[in-house]
Amino acid sequence: MSMSPGDPVPRFERDFSHFLDYLHDDQMPTSISPKRFAKALGMDLQTFAIKSQMHHDALCRTPTTERVQHRLRESLRVLRAAIDRTSNVEKAVFWFKNISLSAFDDKTALDLVAEGRTEALICYIQSLEAGFIG
């Protein structure tokens, strides 16, 4: 899926596979594009680097390194769990970056993934799905 820098982010609604396709670009067909991931979150790459606790240069110059790709995959795991709960990519993305979670000291899901707390966050989402209040 070719995209120029000025292109808007498409609407994905319930289509997680379309979201995944969007996150790959022609130069990195087997990796997640940090630039596209940041754009899907409605952030510039510098802001995304700060929020995700990754170095901007790593996102720009070495986006296919295991460390960068691992963090992006962990973010996608959380987003997938949120999408399963909300049935909407855009709602899940909004939640991921904006909603403070009282069960986690009012941190956002993005903050928690940056801290390496993906498993706890996924358990939390699953507990919400089961009807428990976290």
Side-chain angles (χ1 to χ4, degrees):
M1 174 185 295
S2 181
M3 176 183 89
S4 66
D7 288 345
V9 176
R11 298 277 307 164
F12 304 106
E13 297 176 5
R14 294 174 183 251
D15 193 349
F16 184 74
S17 64
H18 184 216
F19 180 58
L20 286 178
D21 288 344
Y22 171 79
L23 295 177
H24 297 90
D25 66 28
D26 297 335
Q27 285 89 33
M28 301 184 338
T30 61
S31 298
I32 301 164
S33 166
K35 289 178 184 175
R36 286 188 177 207
F37 197 91
K39 191 169 185 173
L41 293 180
M43 300 178 181
D44 61 44
L45 198 57
Q46 181 67 38
T47 302
F48 178 65
I50 292 166
K51 294 290 251 171
S52 62
Q53 298 180 16
M54 289 191 282
H55 198 278
H56 182 265
D57 286 345
L59 295 177
C60 291
R61 295 186 183 148
T62 57
T64 59
T65 62
E66 179 54 33
R67 183 176 184 275
V68 169
Q69 290 298 304
H70 176 75
R71 183 73 54 82
L72 294 172
R73 285 190 307 268
E74 292 295 283
S75 296
L76 274 175
R77 286 182 59 216
V78 171
L79 279 167
R80 180 64 210 217
I83 292 164
D84 287 347
R85 179 157 166 61
T86 64
S87 299
N88 184 286
V89 173
E90 286 76 21
K91 286 180 183 178
V93 166
F94 180 85
W95 171 85
F96 181 79
K97 73 175 193 169
N98 292 302
I99 302 302
S100 298
L101 304 171
S102 59
F104 293 99
D105 298 324
D106 293 320
K107 294 178 181 181
T108 66
L110 178 58
D111 296 331
L112 294 166
V113 171
E115 292 176 4
R117 299 179 65 190
T118 302
E119 294 305 324
L121 185 54
I122 289 174
C123 288
Y124 171 78
I125 295 167
Q126 291 170 342
S127 75
L128 293 174
E129 188 68 29
F132 298 112
I133 297 175

